[in-house]
Amino acid sequence: MPILEHLWIIPLLPLLGATVNGLFGRTWPNKIVNSVAIGATGLSFLAALEAVREFFLLSPEQIPWVRQYFSWIEAGNFRAGFDLQVDQLTVVMLLVVTGVGWLIHIYSTGYMAHEGGYYRFFAYLNLFMFFMLILVMAANYVLLFVGWEGVGLASYLLIGFYFLRKSAADAGKKAFIVNRIGDFGFMLGMFLLFRTFGTLDFFKHAGAGGALGLFDKAAPLSAEAMGHLGTLTVACLLLFMGAAGKSAQIPLYVWLPDAMEGPTPVSALIHAATMVTAGVYVVARSHVLFMHAPTAMLVVAVVGCATALFAATIGLVQTDIKKVLAYSTVSQLGYMFLACGVGAFSAGIFHLMTHAFFKALLFLAAGSVIHAMGGEQDMLHMGGLSKKIKWTYVTMFTGTLAIAGIPPLSGFFSKDSILLSAYQSENGGPNVGHILYAAGLFTALLTSFYMFRLIFLTFFGKERYDEHHVHVHESPKSMLVPLAILAVLSIVGGWLAAPAFWGKPDYFAKFLEPVFAAPGASEAGTAEAVVHALETPLAIVAVITALAGLLAAYWLYVKQPSKPDKLAKFFGGAYQTLLHKYYVDEFYNAAVVRPLMWLSTNVFWKAVDVSIIDGAVNGIAEGITVVGDGTRRTQSGNTRSYAVWVVVGAIVIVAVIFWPHVRPVLGVVR
Amino acid sequence: MTASLIIFFVLAALAVGGALSLIFQKHPIHSALSLIVVMVALAGLYLLLGAEFVAAVQIIVYGGAIMVLFVFVIMLLNAGIEEHTNFSKLAGFPGLLLAFALTGFIAATIARSTDTVQAAAQPGNMASTKDLSTMIFKDFVYPFELTSFLILVAVLGAIVLAQREKA
Amino acid sequence: MIPTNYYIVLSAILFGLGVLAFIFKRNIISIFMSIELMLNAVNLAFVAFSQAMHKLDGQVFVLFVIVVAAAEAAVGLAIIILTARNRQSLNVERVDLLKL
Amino acid sequence: MFPRTDDLLRALPELIWCGFGMLAMLLQPFVRSRHFFTILALVGAIGGTAAAFVAGATPGEGFYGLIQSDVFSFFFRLLVGLVAVLVVLAADSYLERENLPFAEFYALLLFATAGMGVLASARELLTAFIGLELSSISSYILAGFRRDSTKSSEASLKYFLLGSFATAFFLYGIALVYGATGTTNLSRMDDADPGSNLLKLGLSLILIGIGFKVAAAPFQIWTPDVYEGAPTPVTALFSAGPKAAAFALLLRIFASVPAATHFWFWAFWVLAALTMFAGNLGALLQTNVKRLLAYSSIAHAGYILVAFAAVTFMANDLNGGATPAYAAVLFYLLSYALVKIGAFTIVSEIGGWGEKNLTLDDYAGLAQRQPVAAAALSLYLLSLLGLPVTAGFFGKFYIFKAAVNSHLIWLAVLMAINSIIGAYYYLRVIVVMYMREGSAEAMAAPAVRFPVAVNVVLTVTAIGTVYFGLFPNQVLNFILQPNLIAR
Amino acid sequence: MGSLFQGGHLLSILIFFPAVGSLALLLLRSDDHVFIRRIALIVSVAEFLFSLLLLRGASFASGDYRLVEYGQWITSPPIHYHLGVDGISLFLVILTTFLTPISVIASWSSIGHRVKEFFVMLLMLEVGVIGVFLSLDLFLFFLFWEVMLIPMAMLIGIWGHERRIYAAVKFVLYTMAGSILMLVGIIWLYNATGTFDLPTIQQMIQTGTLVLEPRAEMLLFLAFFVAFAVKVPLFPLHTWLPDAHVEAPTAGSVMLAGVLLKMGTYGMIRFCLPLFPEAARRAAPWVAVLAIIGIIYGALVALVQPNLKKLVAYSSVSHLGFVVLGIFAFRTISMQGAVYQMLAHGISTGALFLLVGMLYDRRHTFEISDYGGLATPMPKLAAFFLVAALASMGLPMLNGFVGEYLVLLGTYQSHWAWASWAALGVILSACYLLWSYQRVFFGEVTREKNKTLADASAREKFILVTMSIVMLWMGIGSTYFTRRTAAASQAVIDLVEPQRPYEARVTRDSRSGGQPVVSWTNTLPVAQASSTAEGANR
């Protein structure tokens, strides 16, 4: 089994591509640069496919398939190895990452053809692929963290790709720093886990040489033993903090909308399809721990749900096409966390996958639109594009249908299973699940509305741009082909779960079952029956909701184009709040950034460092100098004074030597 | 009160008076004369103590040679009345106080001391000049010889320092 | 007879007056004279002690002190002459070029 | 009544120094050659130093207990002899530059050296007194040797007046000690009653006299003025010779009069603290390098006094507990003498005719004009600062060790603080030499070529400083003999 | 060749070879700059190669000292010429010998006047630093410790910038103020033990031959600690550092940040912990608090610095805080991390200073506001700067991560609160580095002068590539280093706090009520606990 033995080949290929392009690509023509980049990613994709093929030949005992290549860090009883693993979850992620990644690479050759820094772009993109693959293939938290930080770096570089623009550089920096805040939690989570279990290796069952991984140790524990606010709860919450940073959840979501400063393929790949879902992946990967921490699960669910709703509301009023998609991404990530939070990890991963397809599609299509518009991103300056860029329109519309949850497109299935799980959830109280469901459903309505609003504003109605300056043109094949493929995937991607509707197993969930098998798997049978009974009614409700959103958008933006403004005026306060994203950035700025800067500048630096500490140091020096000057002045040059000094000295000596005699005398004086 | 005590007090008063006069006289020549008074009084005290040779040397060397030298230099330099400057802040009242404190302390310590000091001084002629010379030339011959070098140095110094600049 | 400490106290007083004189005289020659006064006080103490203990070495010491005083006088007066020549003043307070 | 041969041998170094001094005086009217007198003085100085070996080879009391020849006096005679040799070499070019009479100068130098030798070997306070006067009176004259310089004569006058003043205290102290013990011979004072107030007072006054000589605060008050005003080679002599000799006398008193150590401990503690601060604080703002080094001498006297405090603390330990403290003093004096003479020699040469270039500004950019001189001066300053690989470091180290040994932690801490203050002004000189640019005309002026004699001085002192900074062993083992000082 | 060094004088050669080199330089004519530079380079490279022999010459599988040289030097007090190398000093020596030729190359054209003296000082500095790392006699250690001061002060004072004299003097006085107390401490220790020999004293403490009373031990600990803390520098003794760095020439900054600061932390590991374990334990909370303050405070102050070099200097305060924290957490892991962080910081901050120096060479300013948009005229320099900045902020796969991670991980095992506060530094380091990077390199070129700046020259590229490779290597192949430092670190920890199996503490930690951590008291099932122990010992 060559590839499974040499799993490192899969991530290494993109790294090679990145290195070659980064070091030598500067002088090469675009053709060679993109051949290298696409070749590296494509080969990686092929290798992943081969690995998956081989993976299916493994017996269940051999899964997870772990290969330890070399020790990366060793200290005391701590070891972090360069260990890669493959299990079902990895397989899904691997295919999504390499597949979608490859498509986006191809798309980029067209999209970036006229941009400067072509080699740089592809080097970064390949670098991203490398780290993302490390992330999903890592067999321990530390290596996962490598990928985790690495994708953050790639994201930073790519967001700031147009570094001449201050906003782009700012956005990159913001993304990195906000991610770091999450990583702070992630690291502490790792530390706590190591402190509790003495290892950070994953495993579960198939340990090498009888060694136990973290999950093997955690799995037998009962949730009760760990307590509702126990070690694992803390650990999980800390891990979730990291996940929230990477996957843009409340309160750390602020970087993602800004990240749209990067080139559109980057937004598609990193900020929609892959990197931002890493948080979901981590939570799913750590499901063993989360299962033992109901409180943490609840937090995940609530945060996810809240984020979904919150971001969706902001998405309602955005006019920048990429911003809408960005908030939509945040919202959809919230969905995934909601799924994880209610214990439906496979549903979460399922949505992750379908979202990767349709959101990548949407972004790429949006990129195509922007490309066509010559860089224009504001939807208010578009309109009526459906005839001019037909292919883009068709594919984008497909994506919108998928995300809105219109059957039988992929989004419908994944969203449906999430809502179903939420509805059933009883963690934290009997009604919590229903509340979550309701919120999720409302979010679905909003999603449907703002996505169709996007479509209608962009492709329908009057042209609102200056036709003399903007020459709308269809994108090249290299961009359209990936769009088409992704559109197909968006349609069929959900069909793996479709059989659930007619009583057959959900193949996707079944495939992941070995990974997510809960301790109480034996009860699955009865649960499934209940599930099935609920499935159809809930699906119908969901579809109706989606259609309602569609109709509302149609009515507002196609039928009554003047209405939105009136509405906006009518709900002035609310509208402004949404338009300004609830003023969260402003709040962070005022509550955290500025006080910190002020404190650092005026208190720590100027007051403490310069005035107090250095002031004390220089003050001592100054004081000594003053005393020294005083000492010097006793040297008046006058012999008579000198004689008095001698007398003074005589008295000092005599007084010291006769101290026992002198003391009582002085005592009397006192 | 015996006669010798009276003599002692008279001489002591003379010595202290001379010393005070040395301080209060404005003109150096008067100070010098006051010092001679002190020296003569001290010579008297030496006689009282029975140290005739020392008394003689006191008069001859101190009163005769050294003080003459002083007077000579005062005349040579044509020193007038002391200029009464007060540049030193320390040498005013603080100096006075400190000097008094020191003197008082020394005097008090000596007065209260229980050592040999308390014994009455022996009068009479325990010291013959012959014994003295024996001591100087036998026991203390080394410092004595060194003294000759000292005087040599003094001569040399006087020459080097006071010599007029060659043209 | 006269107790020795009378002599010693007298010598202490003379010594103290010498110190005072050193501090309060301005004329360099007078200051030098006050040193001689102090040396005389020392001599008195020596002779008194020597007498009290019936030992001669105290008197020998006195003789040496007198000789040294003579030598000092020679050098000292030479220095005074030199200073007077350089400064045209015998006031010790005006000799303050070197200071601080 | 001619003295016995052994007595003469035991006093041979002083006799030779005096003899050559006299010879120089006698030949002065007949020989006009400068070199003749330099060589004569050199021969005399070296001869006396060599004679120290002869004296050292015949240990014992001399002249009926007036002097003592032992390892201790041997060491100090070597030290003052070395100082004399170096000063002769350093003075040669100075005297020529300033057009001063050399025969007299060398004679006085040799007499002063003899006086120091007497001090180092004296076991009788009378001898010590004469030795003290011999060196002092010569010093007064040497200080005023530049007759036409107002500063020089002022230095001479101040030194003379205050020196005599202090000598009077010293003498009065001797008188009181005599009164208390009935003798002026140190070797007969070992049974002195420590409770005697007279003895206490006497020893206090003696301490004042010696304190003046070693420039302990507040008797240090004369030092900067005299050091600044005196001709620079003479300053070099002052900073090294008389100070060492006076310390020798102090040590001798310690060793011989156990009672003294009872009284003096706290006195030394206070003196040491005051002296260190007086020296270092005073030097802080100096811009005149010569005066700065004078203040530095005071500070170093303070450091040595720390060791003295340790000696007084340990002196009653008859098992040789005080030996390391003695050793600390001796080693320090040696390293200090080397460094100070080297430093003042450079100051003398840089000063030029009429001692014009003494301020820090004159030293700016010296490293580029005269790299060797700057390097040497830096070495000396670093040794004074107490940086490793210099003798000064070991000197300071041993003093620290002595202080800590005697549980004088606070004194050690004060010394540490003073080392830091001291570091500031030593570094300032180095900084000026290396890091500041000199004035344009100074940089344009041709480099001063040092005469051979001066180079010899610098070589000897620099090599000595480094050598004792790396291998203090020989000297130390020599000092650390149990019979270092005759009791 | 091999036999010569195998025989046992390799350490002496390492110490004195640069001294010989600088003497040779002294004898050269001072106006042939090229030749002087070449000789300096040859000497420093040869020294580097010699130091590599250490890796071949000895195995570091146990914590003992290797390649020991022992000889009488001074008989009273007994001071020995005692050298030895162990896992901790090994790489610090190599770091020193590595950074010296780098500094020589970096100074190739930027030092234009008094060239000979410059390289003499640089080599003398190397002598002092290597001596510090290899000395096993307290006295000898102190000697080298002080010797190193003067060349460094000269480097700052002669070849520095505007306020160089102030900075140089401040540097020396600060350090001396600390070290003079250490001298008193050393002597005190000698009085208690009668020896200056470090291994001997260590043994006496271990075997209980020497028992210091608590107060004395604490005072001694402080005497040593303050000296080291000044050097590190630990808050609040750090204010010499920004001045020294800003004023120093590039090579000076590189050596200062790269090696000299490590002398402080090295001293803590080598002396404070093994000699005064009890005092160290008692002081640990205070030290840790200072270290944490240093981490956060240094980072915050760095954040708002308008001066690029000062920013990097303050970042050192922050980074070294991690090292101190790791040392005083008394965990094997954190100690390993601290040692690693020392090396990593030497490389990455060294690289940052080199880069800042290169910017200075072009524009003669450190003010961030004078730059902006430099990525356009000089993309290569920008790329290298980014690599160095990322390494400095602890990005995995680069050198900074391993040390920081281990320190925090280890610290967390015993003191979760310390680690949690310290981990804030990880966030802040990203803030100040990225922000400054953005202001310097991103955006449009705002100043006319900056438009025509030349990108990295071949010489600069050589330096930067070398540094980058090392950073990458240290980030990936950390076990190459940690396997050699492990035994020695463990030995130190064993002296201070013999490690209990950590499980015993995991769940029985009953601190703080009411907080989420209250369930810390939960116990793992017994069977589970034993299996975790197995896992731990793997």
Side-chain angles (χ1 to χ4, degrees), chain A residues 72 163 170 198 229-230 609 614, chain E residues 170 238 297 314 438 475 478 519:
Chain A
W72 174 38
F163 60 79
D170 276 340
L229 288 168
D609 218 61
D614 227 22
Chain E
K170 197 173 179 182
H238 64 276
Y297 174 93
Y314 274 107
Q438 176 189 351
S478 75
S519 58

Side-chain angles (χ1 to χ4, degrees), chain E residues 33-222:
Chain E
H33 292 178
V34 178
F35 192 56
I36 289 168
R37 288 185 190 116
R38 281 192 191 143
I39 295 287
L41 183 63
I42 290 168
V43 170
S44 56
V45 168
E47 170 81 357
F48 176 58
L49 296 178
F50 286 151
S51 72
L52 290 183
L53 292 175
L54 286 175
L55 292 169
R56 283 189 40 206
S59 123
F60 294 90
S62 76
D64 312 337
Y65 298 109
R66 303 282 158 184
L67 299 172
V68 172
E69 290 178 38
Y70 189 82
Q72 187 86 30
W73 175 25
I74 293 165
T75 45
S76 68
I79 296 168
H80 296 102
Y81 180 73
H82 191 177
L83 303 178
V85 62
D86 72 351
I88 295 170
S89 49
L90 168 70
F91 287 110
L92 288 171
V93 169
I94 295 179
L95 178 69
T96 312
T97 58
F98 172 71
L99 286 178
T100 309
I102 294 280
S103 302
V104 170
I105 303 174
S107 315
W108 206 261
S109 60
S110 57
I111 299 298
H113 74 301
R114 301 167 82 177
V115 175
K116 185 169 88 173
E117 286 129 299
F118 181 85
F119 289 109
V120 169
M121 291 298 165
L122 201 58
L123 291 176
M124 288 311 293
L125 182 66
E126 193 179 13
V127 172
V129 174
I130 293 179
V132 163
F133 288 139
L134 293 179
S135 301
L136 291 184
D137 187 284
L138 288 172
F139 187 90
L140 193 62
F141 170 82
F142 184 80
L143 190 123
F144 282 119
W145 177 274
E146 294 275 282
V147 159
M148 162 258 23
L149 275 180
I150 293 303
M152 190 67 229
M154 289 287 184
L155 285 180
I156 298 173
I158 300 179
W159 295 276
H161 310 303
E162 293 79 30
R163 295 176 71 220
R164 59 181 190 271
I165 292 176
Y166 170 74
V169 172
K170 197 173 179 182
F171 164 74
V172 175
L173 291 186
Y174 239 114
T175 314
M176 281 193 68
S179 59
I180 198 102
L181 286 179
M182 177 163 72
L183 180 61
V184 176
I186 288 176
I187 294 169
W188 191 348
L189 201 58
Y190 167 76
N191 271 346
T193 60
T195 176
F196 286 107
D197 197 53
L198 176 67
T200 315
I201 300 177
Q202 248 177 46
Q203 204 162 22
M204 290 169 86
I205 286 170
Q206 258 176 295
T207 56
T209 322
L210 171 70
V211 182
L212 294 164
E213 61 133 337
R215 189 171 154 273
E217 192 192 6
M218 183 51 90
L219 283 176
L220 277 172
F221 171 81
L222 286 178

Side-chain angles (χ1 to χ4, degrees), chain E residues 244-303:
Chain E
H245 269 315
V246 171
E247 301 306 328
T250 302
S253 289
V254 171
M255 293 305 280
L256 187 59
V259 190
L260 263 66
L261 306 190
K262 310 305 175 309
M263 286 167 42
T265 44
Y266 170 79
M268 289 180 191
I269 298 177
R270 180 66 87 226
F271 300 100
C272 284
L273 264 52
L275 295 184
F276 319 111
E278 189 53 48
R281 265 197 293 278
R282 281 195 289 147
W286 303 100
V287 177
V289 165
L290 288 181
I292 292 166
I293 292 177
I295 292 171
I296 296 172
Y297 174 93
L300 285 176
V301 177
L303 188 62

Side-chain angles (χ1 to χ4, degrees), chain D residues 41-99:
Chain D
L42 207 54
V43 170
I46 293 174
T49 314
F53 286 92
V54 178
T58 48
E61 288 188 350
F63 293 108
Y64 314 101
L66 292 188
I67 59 166
Q68 175 78 43
S69 174
D70 53 8
V71 178
F72 182 80
S73 58
F74 172 60
F75 178 85
F76 274 100
R77 279 163 167 165
L78 279 187
L79 182 57
V80 295
L82 178 67
V83 170
V85 171
L86 292 175
V87 171
V88 166
L89 288 171
D92 177 59
S93 62
Y94 182 89
L95 294 174
E96 192 196 14
R97 191 164 57 234
E98 303 289 335
N99 193 22

Side-chain angles (χ1 to χ4, degrees), chain A residues 102-430:
Chain A
W102 188 48
L103 288 176
I104 291 171
H105 270 74
I106 295 172
Y107 174 92
S108 305
T109 57
Y111 187 85
M112 298 299 290
H114 309 294
E115 304 281 346
Y118 197 73
Y119 78 103
R120 205 154 53 84
F121 179 81
F122 279 102
Y124 292 164
L125 219 51
N126 274 1
L127 189 68
F128 168 77
M129 291 297 287
F130 164 70
F131 280 120
M132 193 67 205
L133 287 167
I134 292 283
L135 197 161
V136 300
M137 296 174 78
N140 57 52
Y141 276 112
V142 190
L143 191 61
L144 187 149
F145 191 68
V146 172
W148 186 263
E149 289 273 286
V151 293
L153 166 67
S155 157
Y156 166 77
L157 293 171
L158 285 164
I159 295 171
F161 183 75
Y162 302 116
F163 60 79
L164 292 180
R165 275 210 310 260
K166 182 172 186 302
S167 57
D170 276 340
K173 183 187 71 190
K174 186 174 178 183
F176 200 94
I177 289 171
V178 173
N179 267 305
R180 269 273 160 140
I181 296 173
D183 296 347
F184 167 75
F186 194 98
M187 279 174 79
L188 292 185
M190 279 194 279
F191 300 156
L192 180 54
L193 288 174
F194 181 75
R195 171 169 162 158
T196 313
F197 297 105
T199 176
L200 287 175
D201 289 336
F202 295 145
F203 307 125
K204 187 165 128 185
H205 307 318
L212 288 174
L214 199 158
F215 297 153
D216 302 294
K217 292 180 183 176
L221 303 175
S222 63
E224 288 71 32
M226 298 312 292
H228 278 275
L229 288 168
T231 306
L232 283 185
T233 307
V234 176
C236 287
L237 286 175
L238 288 169
L239 288 183
F240 177 61
M241 185 174 167
K246 190 110 299 186
S247 294
Q249 296 299 291
I250 290 176
L252 301 178
Y253 71 93
V254 287
W255 65 271
L256 186 55
D258 290 13
M260 298 303 132
E261 288 288 341
T264 309
V266 172
S267 308
L269 178 61
I270 301 184
H271 305 119
T274 54
M275 184 190 86
V276 289
T277 62
V280 181
Y281 168 76
V282 161
V283 172
R285 176 56 79 197
S286 318
H287 68 279
V288 177
L289 308 175
F290 277 90
M291 296 298 269
H292 290 97
T295 317
M297 293 281 273
L298 189 62
V299 171
V300 172
V302 169
V303 169
C305 190
T307 310
L309 186 57
F310 179 80
T313 54
I314 299 176
L316 292 177
V317 298
Q318 297 302 313
T319 56
D320 183 316
I321 187 166
K322 285 181 73 179
K323 282 274 162 71
V324 175
L325 291 175
Y327 281 104
S328 152
T329 306
V330 175
S331 176
Q332 296 304 308
L333 290 166
Y335 257 109
M336 298 175 209
F337 278 109
L338 173 61
C340 295
V342 298
F345 295 104
S346 62
I349 295 298
F350 189 36
H351 193 58
L352 186 159
M353 183 180 83
T354 58
H355 176 256
F357 296 149
F358 59 66
K359 189 51 70 60
L361 169 60
L362 285 169
F363 263 115
L364 294 185
S368 182
V369 169
I370 296 164
H371 192 250
M373 294 293 295
E376 181 59 62
Q377 297 198 3
D378 192 339
M379 297 190 294
L380 296 180
H381 299 138
M382 296 178 184
L385 292 176
S386 58
K387 289 154 216 121
K388 298 197 171 163
I389 43 175
K390 212 167 187 112
W391 276 103
T392 306
Y393 165 61
V394 170
T395 50
M396 193 157 192
F397 199 82
T398 315
T400 307
L401 288 175
I403 194 176
I406 308 291
L409 280 77
S410 58
F412 164 72
F413 296 101
S414 53
K415 234 183 222 184
D416 182 58
S417 60
I418 291 172
L419 289 174
L420 176 65
S421 310
Y423 187 78
Q424 290 173 301
S425 170
E426 287 173 3
N427 184 12

